[in-house]
Amino acid sequence: MAQLEKKRLYVRRLDIPHEETPAKKLRLSKPSKSAALHIDLCKATNSTDALQYLLQFARKPVEAESVEGVVRILLEHYYKETDNSVRLKIASLLGLLSKTQGFSPDCIVDDAINTLSNEKSHQVLAQLLETLLIIGTQLPESPALRLRLVEVAYKHLSDTYFGVRNKCLQLLGCLGMVDAPLGKENEGAGTSLGGLRDVQSIISDYFGDQDPRVRTAALKAMLQLHERGMKIHQIIYDQACRLLTDDYEQVRSAAVQMVWVLSQLYPESIVPIPSSNEEIRLVDDAFGKISHMVSDGSWMVRVQAAKTLGSMLQVSPHFLEQTLDKKLMSDLRRKRTAHERAKELFASGEFSSGRKWADDAPKEKLDTNTVNLIASGACGAFVHGLEDEMFEVRIAAVEALCQLARSSPSFAEKCLDFLVDMFNDEIEEVRLQSIHVLREISTHITLREDQLDTVLAVLEDSSRDIREALHELLCYTNVSTKECIQLALLELLKNLNKYPTDRNSVWKCLKFLGSRHPTLVLPLVPELLSTHPYFDTPEPDMDDPAYIAVLVLVFNAAKSCPTMPALFSDHTFRHYAYLRDSLSHLVPPLRLPGRKQVYGLDSVDSGPGSGSVESAQLFLQQSLNRVSTIQNLEAPGAQDLLDLTTRDLLRLGELQTELAGAADFCATYLRCQLLLMKALQEKLWNMAVPLCLKQNVTATAAAQQILEETYKLEFLYSGLESRQVATIHHVRLQAKALQLVLTARTRQGLDLLIGSCEKFLQDVESFQRLFLTELPHLQDSFVDKLLELMPRLSSCKPVELVKILQTTLRQSGLLQLRLPEQIHRATATIIEPTGESDNPLRFTSGLVVALDIDATLEHVQDPQNTVKVQVLYPDGQSHVIHPKPGDFRKPGPHRHRLITQVYLSHTAWTEPSQIEVRLLLAYSSSSTSLTSPSKLGWSESLESLPPAEAAVEGTIPFSKAVKVFIMPKPARR
Amino acid sequence: MPEIKVTPLGAGQDVGRSCILVSIGGKNIMLDCGMHMGYNDDRRFPDFSYITQNGRLTDFLDCLIISHFHLDHCGALPYMSEMVGYDGPIYMTHPTKAICPILLEDFRKITVDKKGETNFFTSQMIKDCMKKVIPLNLHQTVQVDDELEIKAYYAGHVLGAAMVHIKVGSESVVYTGDYNMTPDRHLGAAWIDKCRPDILISESTYATTIRDSKRCRERDFLKKVHESIERGGKVLIPVFALGRAQELCILLETFWERMNLKAPIYFSTGLTEKANHYYKLFITWTNQKIRKTFVQRNMFEFKHIKAFDRSYADNPGPMVVFATPGMLHAGQSLQIFKKWAGNEKNMVIMPGYCVQGTIGHKILNGQRKLEMEGRATLDVKLQVEYMSFSAHADAKGIMQLIRMAEPRNMLLVHGEAVKMEFLKGKIEQEFSIDCYMPANGETTTVTTNPSVPVDISLNLLKREMALGGPLPDPKKPRTMHGTLIMKENSLKLVSSEQALKELGLNEHQLRFTCHVQLQDPHSDADTLHRIYTHLKSVLKGYTIQHLPDGTVIVESIVIKVSSSAEDSNTKVLLLSWSYQVKTWTLFLEAAALPGVTTKLSSRHP
């Protein structure tokens, strides 16, 4: 940094004589940069100095317009320079400079190519080729240039230094002709090539290079060609396969990719099996070869191979199933695997017999000739991969299994045992991943009892993530027998007992389990509810989470099993009514004999077919249309209409959860309009200025509220299009105008007024800039009118401006709101703490107590940065806590889970009292601004420009506050 | 042809007292020096008299390498070095060096103190012997002397187990010791690079076995323990102090942690505590998981596993106890077993093989009534489980290692002959390399084809490179001209000029001459001039000089013209060229001169 500062000073000092006008901004002095460099370089007495200058120079950005000058100077020095390292630095600088935005490097191509011809040092040569590569990629539109560069690359391919060959191959890979026909290419390069050779065959020559780095580069170049859309010839396949046995891991890794690419290009072509007359499909052959790489010596290659296997979906099922194959033997006798044994035990009806010594005793004797020790082809690839030493390989294998299983139900069935085994891995990440994978493929499979048993054993895991993933898995699982249901229920209850915090998750899990398997639950009902044909059994405790869990299971099963309610006892019905009310998301509406549907809500919920969503949508649209008939804000009856519509929409949002976001959004928007309308219709406008000092309180409050609401509209809802954002900003502009008018009426200070007028005009301008494309849709609106008057506004006096604003505000029409396709409101629910506890959390004042917080967030984008926890103490103190990024988990799309701890502390209280905990959504208008997609480079940010509009930052509370009883005790002395 | 000789003194077609002699490039190396568990007489130790009848072994051996700390690989070490006499270097890895003396001391105690044997090595001898040990690091190339170098690779199996790559010149041998190709809870898998040794000497304990996934075994084990604990039963796991015991501890420890279990786990004290200490220290030798997490918590610092006290066995409630020895034949494990055998809630899990005659073997075979000493009988009501946790490579693992190392020959030791036979066949079939399985005392000789390194001068190399075609044919051999100089045990390839200079010899020029007659009426000088101009026009791009002394020089070919004695019209052309440019002259003759002749003759018919 110090050096940088010095350099800056230096530049500035140099600038002064050059500049005629006093340098107001540093930027203006930039063109002299080349001159400065020139002076620097001339002053350099030796190569070390020159290198130092160049290094310093490289730290500063150069404007597009002065790049060429700088390049010339650099080249000039390049030719003069004898020291390799300085030339190397210059060459790299050339590359760096050609990357400058807005600079087109075609003017320096010739110079750059010329430098190559005289260069002796291999390192510098390699660097120059790198520079050419950058130039070439900067100018993708010029085929002639590419041809030249490719020619250069051909020429230097035979260099003795590996780096040069590497770069040449890279150049060929990035710039080699993809679509140009061969003839055309040869016209350009024919003389130097002297043959009909295309890029691919030239690159493939270097598959056999003596340097592994060059071999890797050749493979990478070929892959690059493929990525750019060139069809790789099938001849390459054999060569690539040979490289699979290379001595160097990076070559093997690249070769795996190459083989994979070819297997995707020519899956159906036939290749011969060496040393036999048979032939197989290429994709099968490649699959076999890559499977072989899963037991490679280098774990990088193993990861690569395992990952790749997952995407080879065209492979024949026969080969696929081999990957899970393992023939066990013991002393040359065939042995059954534990999986097979478990299956047999299950089939014979005897489960968990308690193991006997030599239970796994080998059976028949094997013929020595048939035992194949080196698995040819795909044999046991996944068996190896899943047992690998490195967890990276295991995860890759699990993922590959998942991909393959999703496309092949029979394979899914087979890999089940292996996945279940992975639940016992030593690394949690792997366990979690395999649980997720099993969930993804669970549509294909039905768990056997013994498998379920193994799965359920994991329920006792102390990691919350694992347990919840497992609950999720159970939600989607099919089981085969009623014993399985019983087993699952038992284990889940055990889990509930051990980890009471899992309550919600367990209940949810049982809900799905019940609704999935009504017929399996039916025979269990008497036992589950402990009813007896003759005797009345005691009524279970309604607050017992375990009992609720059982009821959730039964009720959900009963939903599609009408005979079940007959088995319920009286208190079960009562409990149903209670649970239906208190846990309506877990307990479905049931048609119970002799009972009326108690709640009106039920009728809505009972038939939530697609029809009702559509009709609701229609209603929403109609309401909006109705509102849009209001032409003027002052029209009679407009207020009532808005009022009614807002209410309708809010109710609709409650009833139809799918449309809650949209309905809320509209309602909020309309409320803003209503507020604006009311504010404008107040009588104060007719009064003289001095009289209305007191009365305008409501109007000011309204303006403030509208502003807040607009921020909510903008940041709380996801799925907004720029049209809606424009509408929101428009309302905000109106609110600001209102504020301005009010300020003008209340305060007399002219300076202040001028300031706020200027600010407002800036706002209008930035609005225009931001939503240029949306302006046509905003016809006849407030902004439209303002922009018409803009020339006048910017020149007139504040008082006049205020007047204009006032009239425009009153005259402008209501902007119609168009609903976006998908709009969701960000919501948060705090699950923990529940706020029900009457026992205060006691702690010694001055020390801290940790409060566990567990919340689900829906439709929050980037929660790591936006979601905060607010703690409000009774004395009005408020703390905002930023949770760690690691506290957020993502259990599903658009859903996040926040599990964190906040630390509370306070001075001593005499009584326990409640604090409030809520979640906040932080926003900043600058960060989401639509027009700043280009990130500032680090070097540019050094000269920090103030952002165009002052960023407005704030927070929106978006969850209900939860009250927690706490009691800081005075410290004992 | 040079040969490598391998002679097993132990472990040839047998398990136990591993000891293999290797002669490679004039060096004699002993690999492992173990004892046999099955014998109590002289056969217990390898027969060192094979090396020399009397006198010390130091003169005959260049070094001794111990692969790991199991007694069948290091048990005879103090006997050999102190009692037979060996003062040369002994190599072993750091963990082996640390743990080996503990086991040797234990072995000595049992033999001398318990069995009362005399003429056995003493504690002091163990100490003296360990002083001769030079520790090895993984992948570190150690120069034993100027020519012999050894390098250790990770072998899994037990903490500190290593495979060694022994190299003399370009000949090399890899010895695996015992190894494991599948990782377990505390150790990783064996790994070796593609070193292409002349011989790979591999153990073959499980030559005819392909094992099931270890996950199933682990899961079964954990499930059994868990179920038993939940029932309120006590679980006894008889183990040997080192190796598997640590793996099972880690397994249970992590399971307890994961499942939040509270029942106590005890480990009977003794050796184990000392050994666990070393496991804590040598974290780098363990598997990925332990290595990655040891900063937060060293996995060998057990939270749930505590030291066992005799009195704990009577405590109520569930518990798990690891106790030695592993086969229930004596000691603490047997005592606890006797206490718990009567309750069907309890369980004993045998994690390994049991020798016939031990109680472990009996109960595994389903015997429910045991006769104890003093005619008392013991009813065995507790559940008996068997769980195999073994850390040797199975047949597939061995094949995998061969594929990794790509040896030219294979040699099997440390296994049963019948089983080896099968694997041998398979290896020969799959890799088409020779496979040997010598018995003890039998010598296997493998001829090698070592490449002889020759220094080449850079200038010569560059010159020859410039002559050759374009680069991409690096795998093809290319001929080159040069002079091979053999001087003081080193070979050098230099250009002929440099060779002459170095040897102080004069260069002899070999020139060929040839006379061509032509008919030409002009004077000698004229003819020469005409030839000169003609050549000049034909051979463009060559230096052609007309010297005043009446010669034309094309490159290094000299042309002179003289009239013949008889006929002045007949000119005799004298061509002279040196040896190197012979082809050029022929070209001249073939292409240029006929032109001259025809030209000349056409003008003068």
Side-chain angles (χ1 to χ4, degrees), chain A residues 247 292 295 297 326 329 331-332 338 355 357 371 386-387 391-392 421 424 453-454 461-462 498, chain B residues 185 188 191 194 196 208-210 212-213 215 219-220 223 258-259 288 364-365 385 403 419 426:
Chain A
D247 282 9
H292 214 69
S295 47
K326 47 172 186 182
M329 62 175 192
D331 286 354
L332 281 179
R355 192 61 48 77
W357 154 249
V371 180
L386 293 177
E387 274 189 41
F391 84 94
E392 290 90 341
D421 276 351
N424 206 15
D453 195 42
T454 336
D461 203 298
S462 59
K498 200 161 175 181
Chain B
R185 287 283 167 162
W191 181 85
K194 232 175 238 192
R196 302 196 173 90
T208 55
T209 302
I210 301 174
D212 199 355
S213 129
R215 281 178 205 289
R219 202 187 56 213
D220 271 357
K223 200 171 149 194
R258 259 179 65 197
M259 296 300 179
Q288 186 193 21
L364 278 179
N365 280 317
E385 297 286 354
R403 203 156 72 88
K419 297 183 180 178
K426 282 288 157 197

Side-chain angles (χ1 to χ4, degrees), chain A residues 498-566:
Chain A
K498 200 161 175 181
Y499 307 100
T501 48
D502 284 357
R503 207 167 58 173
N504 284 304
S505 177
V506 167
W507 287 344
K508 198 180 118 217
C509 173
L510 283 167
K511 172 188 164 187
F512 282 96
L513 209 61
S515 55
R516 254 170 194 271
H517 308 98
T519 48
L520 296 181
V521 176
L522 184 62
L524 291 172
V525 168
E527 194 184 337
L528 291 179
L529 299 177
S530 51
T531 49
H532 194 276
Y534 310 123
F535 304 116
D536 271 348
T537 42
E539 184 175 332
D541 179 14
M542 200 48 240
D543 289 331
D544 181 12
Y547 179 59
I548 296 178
V550 173
L551 285 185
V552 167
L553 175 77
V554 171
F555 289 149
N556 277 289
K559 195 180 157 200
S560 47
C561 184
T563 53
M564 205 181 283

Side-chain angles (χ1 to χ4, degrees), chain A residues 43-213:
Chain A
K43 280 205 308 193
T45 47
N46 56 19
S47 54
T48 328
D49 278 356
L51 203 57
Q52 276 305 320
Y53 286 128
L54 287 171
L55 282 171
Q56 281 175 18
F57 176 74
R59 297 206 184 102
K60 292 281 286 178
V62 178
E63 277 78 44
E65 55 268 23
S66 56
V67 167
E68 198 177 341
V70 174
V71 167
R72 298 266 166 255
I73 290 170
L74 284 175
L75 280 171
E76 198 181 305
H77 282 273
Y78 178 87
Y79 287 118
K80 277 193 251 164
E81 187 58 58
T82 50
D83 188 77
N84 282 348
S85 49
V86 178
R87 285 212 306 279
L88 188 78
K89 186 66 203 168
I90 292 180
S92 86
L93 271 181
L94 289 183
L96 210 64
L97 286 171
S98 17
K99 269 198 257 187
T100 315
Q101 267 187 358
F103 169 70
S104 167
D106 48 1
C107 47
I108 61 167
V109 174
D110 290 321
D111 301 297
I113 293 179
N114 282 340
T115 50
L116 278 174
S117 53
N118 298 327
E119 187 52 62
K120 289 284 182 300
S121 159
H122 294 296
Q123 273 96 341
V124 182
L125 212 51
Q127 187 59 52
L128 282 172
L129 284 165
E130 166 89 39
T131 304
L132 285 182
L133 178 63
I134 293 169
I135 294 177
T137 41
Q138 293 283 314
L139 298 168
E141 303 306 327
S142 152
L145 171 74
R146 288 176 155 232
L147 219 51
R148 280 190 65 191
L149 291 180
V150 166
E151 206 181 320
V152 167
Y154 285 147
K155 217 166 73 194
H156 287 93
L157 259 181
S158 51
D159 197 282
T160 49
Y161 180 60
F162 80 94
V164 178
R165 274 177 283 155
N166 260 359
K167 289 290 169 211
C168 288
L169 287 168
Q170 219 176 328
L171 209 59
L172 286 180
C174 291
L175 303 175
M177 291 300 141
V178 173
D179 31 44
L182 281 180
K184 196 177 157 197
E185 189 182 324
N186 280 319
E187 275 168 26
T191 45
S192 63
L193 268 174
L196 279 163
R197 308 202 62 200
D198 63 331
V199 192
Q200 290 191 26
S201 72
I202 288 172
I203 293 180
S204 65
D205 275 350
Y206 286 82
F207 283 2
D209 196 276
Q210 58 184 349
D211 195 299
R213 287 164 289 197

Side-chain angles (χ1 to χ4, degrees), chain B residues 143-193:
Chain B
Q143 212 76 38
V144 177
D145 55 34
D146 287 345
E147 289 153 10
L148 176 64
E149 59 182 48
I150 57 177
K151 183 176 176 184
Y153 289 95
Y154 192 73
H157 190 64
V158 288
L159 193 79
M163 308 194 272
V164 275
H165 182 218
I166 301 146
K167 197 173 160 198
V168 179
S170 65
E171 295 168 290
S172 62
V173 170
V174 168
Y175 173 63
T176 63
D178 291 355
Y179 64 102
N180 191 6
M181 293 301 282
T182 44
D184 64 30
R185 287 283 167 162
H186 71 311
L187 298 173
W191 181 85
I192 196 163
D193 58 22

